[in-house]
Amino acid sequence: MKAALDRNRPASASPLAERLWATRRLTLDLAAPLSDADATIQPFPDASPAKWHLAHTSWFFETFVLRDHLFGYTPFDERFAFLFNSYYEAEGPRHARPRRGMLSRPSLDEVRSYRAHVDEALDRALSSLAPAALELIELGINHEQQHQELFLTDILATFAENPLEPAYGELAPPACFAVEPVSWHRGRGGIVEIGAPDDGFAFDAERPRHRVFLAAHQLANRRVTNREWREFMDDGGYRTPALWLSDGWAWAQQEGIAAPLYWREDGTEFTLAGRREIDAAAPVAHISFYEADAFARWAGARLPTEAEWEDFAASADPCLGNQLDLGGAVAPRAGGGLFGDVWEWTQSAFASYPGFAPAEGAVGEYNGKFMSGQLVLKGASCATPRGHSRPSYRNFFPPAARWQFTGVRLAQDA
Ligand SMILES: [Fe+2]
């Protein structure tokens, strides 16, 4: 194993360096069960091959830290900038996203060598990097953690395509089972503050912290369960247009949507551990915003707003607190709750906060340019790396997306 990934690094390494190497190592650990073929498949255009995630997260450090801040750095392969730039217009042209699954070369082993090359250069550079570059290391760690979650959801989508139903790893039980019946937590009304404080790491879109007004409302103490989702289905929820937003109904008809993404007709669902019985008490997962919204209307409730959720997270739900503390627990580690904890759809558009300022430089493209047609999700999922999330965290996806671990918590006006 490379020196930069030595598990016995000296205790004098900085906390930032410790987290960098732990993050880089975890990505390799996640890839360990995969063959080169597993890691090359792109199950649909919005998902990426595992191999691409491994390379792109290295490209991020190579480009924004090593190229710009390490004098004399030699890229591993000049051509990789075209292959592994995701969406940064300031970094020039790039390979088309829907074609990522066409990259049988470089091989998985070559991508591992690329990672090692970047890690060795980072190790050389760390002690002399300027504060601005260290901030980019922090961003790169958080960026790679986001890709670790995508890695798992994309592998789930990949294996779900295979009639052999391969298993990626074992599943631990959900961290939070349902408490019956649901109870309601009265949220704070009036003016509250949301958003990340000025100190500590947060993505640019979480700032600035600012005041919002909350009308009287209440939030469910837990997420909607699989059993409740089955009731919605049995009651014709997917066949009742009055429950649906117009765009959602059109989407559901066009795509033939009639159940959560990985449910099968025999009462099982496909998971990272292969096909399993659906656990009635676990939170429903792999639903779109459209489905979450229709369910809420069927239940006589609504989706929470981002501000209601965030203010709630500061005060209530030991299960929620546990989830935020754990931030989920990335796969194949034992005891981690691989299935059952989900991101929670809100009704809030992913838009800028008052006074929003994108990060400086090319990384200013990280969040701000996606503030159109996407909804905010709060919390964390079973696939979120430990410690990655926080109450101000703003995950976002288009309303029809459902290959992430997405679920729903209900809200009501009070
Ligand atoms: Fe990325």
Side-chain angles (χ1 to χ4, degrees):
M1 182 164 283
K2 297 294 179 186
L5 296 178
D6 189 337
R7 291 170 191 273
N8 300 310
R9 295 185 62 76
S12 59
S14 72
L16 183 72
E18 293 286 353
R19 288 193 300 108
L20 172 63
W21 303 131
T23 302
R24 298 288 287 167
R25 188 167 57 236
L26 178 56
T27 303
L28 289 177
D29 288 348
L30 291 176
L34 302 184
S35 70
D36 200 323
D38 292 335
T40 301
I41 288 176
Q42 181 174 25
F44 61 98
D46 283 344
S48 295
K51 192 166 68 180
W52 189 91
H53 287 300
L54 263 62
H56 164 70
T57 48
S58 301
W59 169 84
F60 192 95
F61 284 113
E62 180 173 67
T63 302
F64 298 125
V65 178
L66 298 173
R67 181 198 66 186
D68 292 350
H69 296 275
L70 180 61
F71 181 76
Y73 174 73
T74 304
F76 181 79
D77 186 326
E78 300 271 4
R79 301 169 299 174
F80 282 10
F82 181 83
L83 291 184
F84 300 124
N85 174 7
S86 51
Y87 54 65
Y88 293 87
E89 298 289 347
E91 293 299 329
R94 71 212 69 94
H95 190 235
R97 179 180 184 127
R99 310 290 293 170
R100 289 173 186 168
M102 299 295 123
L103 300 177
S104 58
R105 314 287 176 87
S107 70
L108 181 55
D109 275 348
E110 286 170 318
V111 167
R112 287 196 179 100
S113 296
Y114 177 37
R115 292 184 64 86
H117 176 90
V118 168
D119 286 337
E120 286 167 4
L122 285 171
D123 200 29
R124 283 201 309 278
L126 264 179
S127 61
S128 58
L129 285 176
L134 294 175
E135 286 183 15
L136 289 165
I137 296 267
E138 182 70 68
L139 181 64
I141 292 169
N142 281 270
H143 170 255
E144 184 145 347
Q145 289 178 321
Q146 290 182 315
H147 278 277
Q148 288 167 348
E149 175 150 9
L150 294 169
F151 178 104
L152 290 169
T153 54
D154 293 353
I155 276 295
L156 176 58
T158 297
F159 283 178
E161 291 290 331
N162 191 329
L164 296 180
E165 300 183 327
Y168 168 78
E170 279 306 305
L171 296 183
C176 295
F177 284 100
V179 177
E180 300 282 3
V182 69
S183 64
W184 294 89
H185 170 92
R186 192 174 180 88
R188 293 196 297 171
I191 293 172
V192 303
E193 284 198 351
I194 65 165
D198 289 341
D199 57 325
F201 178 82
F203 289 109
D204 55 6
E206 297 171 57
R207 291 184 170 128
R209 191 165 172 81
H210 62 284
R211 294 181 299 168
V212 297
F213 178 79
L214 296 184
H217 67 280
Q218 50 189 9
L219 288 155
N221 65 323
R222 60 164 172 78
R223 292 163 284 274
V224 168
T225 63
N226 287 323
R227 183 184 59 73
E228 291 163 334
W229 201 269
R230 173 65 69 183
E231 290 171 6
F232 168 69
M233 290 168 61
D234 291 346
D235 198 37
Y238 281 97
R239 302 188 302 273
T240 308
L243 296 174
W244 291 73
L245 294 168
S246 176
D247 284 351
W249 182 251
W251 165 79
Q253 301 317 297
Q254 184 175 333
E255 302 294 326
I257 304 296
L261 177 58
Y262 295 121
W263 283 24
R264 304 283 165 85
E265 291 187 354
D266 62 356
T268 62
E269 63 180 334
F270 188 72
T271 73
L272 282 167
R275 192 127 65 103
R276 291 283 178 94
E277 292 291 317
I278 295 173
D279 183 342
V284 68
H286 301 295
I287 53 163
S288 67
F289 165 80
Y290 292 135
E291 292 164 278
D293 179 78
F295 180 95
R297 197 164 291 107
W298 171 80
R302 61 170 173 80
L303 299 182
T305 69
E306 176 178 20
E308 287 168 346
W309 192 101
E310 188 169 329
D311 193 55
F312 176 61
S315 61
D317 192 349
C319 209
L320 179 67
N322 181 42
Q323 183 185 50
L324 286 171
D325 178 46
L326 291 174
V330 160
R333 279 200 310 239
L338 185 63
F339 175 81
D341 290 332
V342 291
W343 290 96
E344 300 178 22
W345 286 106
T346 73
Q347 60 171 271
S348 300
F350 182 56
S352 61
Y353 286 163
F356 168 66
E360 299 275 334
V363 293
E365 294 186 48
Y366 201 109
N367 288 305
K369 74 180 189 180
F370 298 110
M371 291 175 173
S372 169
Q374 315 222 35
L375 282 305
V376 172
L377 299 105
K378 300 294 271 185
S381 87
C382 54
T384 310
R386 191 179 296 268
H388 178 69
S389 193
R390 53 195 160 265
S392 65
Y393 199 98
R394 309 177 79 196
N395 198 355
F396 56 91
F397 277 94
R402 57 187 201 148
W403 88 105
Q404 300 302 300
F405 290 92
T406 47
V408 57
R409 177 188 303 270
L410 298 177
Q412 289 180 337
D413 298 325

